[in-house]
Amino acid sequence: MIRTAEQKPAIEKLGQEHPGKLSVLVSSVSDVKSESDAKRILDQVKPDWVVWSAGAGGKGGADMTYAIDRDAAIAFTKASIHSPSVKKFLTVSYLASRRGRPSWWSDKDWEAAQKINNKVLPTYYKAKLAADEVLTVLAKERYDKEAMHSVPSNERFSAISLRPGTLTDEKAGGVKVGKVGVGGKTSRATTAHAIVAALETNGAKGWIDVLDGDEDAADAIRKLTEDGVDAVDEEDVDLMKENAAKW
């Protein structure tokens, strides 16, 4: 799904010589105001997996950031989770999108996160955090319901918040994933590789923090999944549920 028809040829060119069918839908996420709006788009496409990487990019002021990074993101999150045919949902967030200070962060990490979230990008922080919390809470509800109904573990809904550091335009390389500190960088190309790796890893779910590093993305995320590492650890789940209920 892309914003303008002018983008369509570039997207179709990227899909050439790759397996599968590429269908490009032209529709602006800024027009999505509710879960029903998002569901109408999902009903057109009928996806098995949904990847949310849209964002205002700092354009249009606070109103546009809230409209896309929070409201439209939450609308697609809810519509996806409430669509039985959608089996995976991945959102691209950022590493400092959390309320509490986890034990694996140093004083320097916490100070950096506080600066980013409260001084540099306060609107973005509030928007992304709200979307992350809705995804986390509602995804667990669906996962637990499927488990209760004896849906095989490898067929249960998988929700992933992929959380890179400061984005760069460097070439794709290795990764460092798991419970990592703040302040590192992640190239956009590496982030794309990590998205593919996370989606293709059976059982991958939760918050996956990712920085540029030395490990192969697929190997690193497979190991992280096997070890049950989730960067959402130590967040206040009860508070998260209260906040998610507002949306």
Side-chain angles (χ1 to χ4, degrees):
M1 176 175 162
I2 55 176
R3 188 177 297 118
T4 64
E6 288 77 14
Q7 298 170 308
K8 189 173 181 180
I11 298 297
E12 290 178 333
K13 185 176 180 180
L14 290 171
Q16 291 176 358
E17 299 180 5
H18 288 279
K21 179 184 177 183
L22 174 63
S23 299
V24 181
L25 174 67
V26 178
S27 182
S28 176
V29 293
S30 62
D31 295 331
V32 175
K33 309 295 184 184
S34 66
E35 179 179 347
S36 59
D37 289 342
K39 187 177 186 302
R40 277 193 290 273
I41 293 172
L42 293 181
D43 287 344
Q44 290 182 61
V45 181
K46 297 180 174 58
D48 299 311
W49 300 350
V50 175
V51 178
W52 179 267
S53 62
K59 300 176 182 178
D63 287 347
M64 187 59 72
T65 297
Y66 283 133
I68 296 178
D69 292 275
R70 184 192 64 190
D71 300 341
I74 288 174
F76 271 99
T77 297
K78 294 172 73 173
S80 298
I81 292 172
H82 295 148
S83 297
S85 60
V86 177
K87 302 300 184 183
K88 295 188 180 187
F89 184 97
L90 184 148
T91 187
V92 180
S93 185
Y94 74 110
L95 209 151
S97 175
R98 61 186 310 131
R99 293 185 185 275
R101 172 182 171 170
S103 59
W104 58 89
W105 279 7
S106 66
D107 289 343
K108 185 177 180 181
D109 290 328
W110 180 241
E111 290 170 7
Q114 292 292 90
K115 181 179 179 180
I116 293 168
N117 294 340
N118 298 315
K119 295 182 180 180
V120 180
L121 298 170
T123 304
Y124 182 72
Y125 165 62
K126 293 173 185 175
K128 297 300 283 189
L129 182 64
D132 278 336
E133 292 185 333
V134 169
L135 176 63
T136 302
V137 170
L138 296 187
K140 187 175 188 308
E141 290 178 359
R142 175 169 164 181
Y143 184 91
D144 290 347
K145 183 178 180 180
E146 290 176 341
M148 185 176 65
H149 286 87
S150 301
V151 174
S153 59
N154 64 335
E155 296 179 14
R156 294 174 199 162
F157 183 74
S158 173
I160 300 166
S161 174
L162 192 92
R163 306 152 62 78
T166 302
L167 293 172
T168 73
D169 292 323
E170 297 297 320
K171 294 180 179 179
V175 300
K176 178 180 180 182
V177 300
K179 296 179 176 179
V180 299
V182 180
K185 297 179 180 180
T186 317
S187 79
R188 289 178 172 83
T190 297
T191 300
H193 285 199
I195 289 170
V196 173
L199 289 170
E200 291 184 342
T201 300
N202 289 332
K205 60 186 178 69
W207 291 12
I208 301 178
D209 292 355
V210 54
L211 295 172
D212 288 338
D214 300 322
E215 290 187 80
D216 174 76
D219 291 341
I221 291 177
R222 187 182 307 111
K223 185 176 186 304
L224 174 139
T225 302
E226 291 172 353
D227 293 343
V229 177
D230 191 339
V232 78
D233 287 351
E234 301 181 20
E235 283 290 270
D236 187 333
V237 176
D238 290 333
L239 179 59
M240 197 178 289
K241 290 178 179 177
E242 291 178 18
N243 293 323
K246 299 173 183 177
W247 307 105

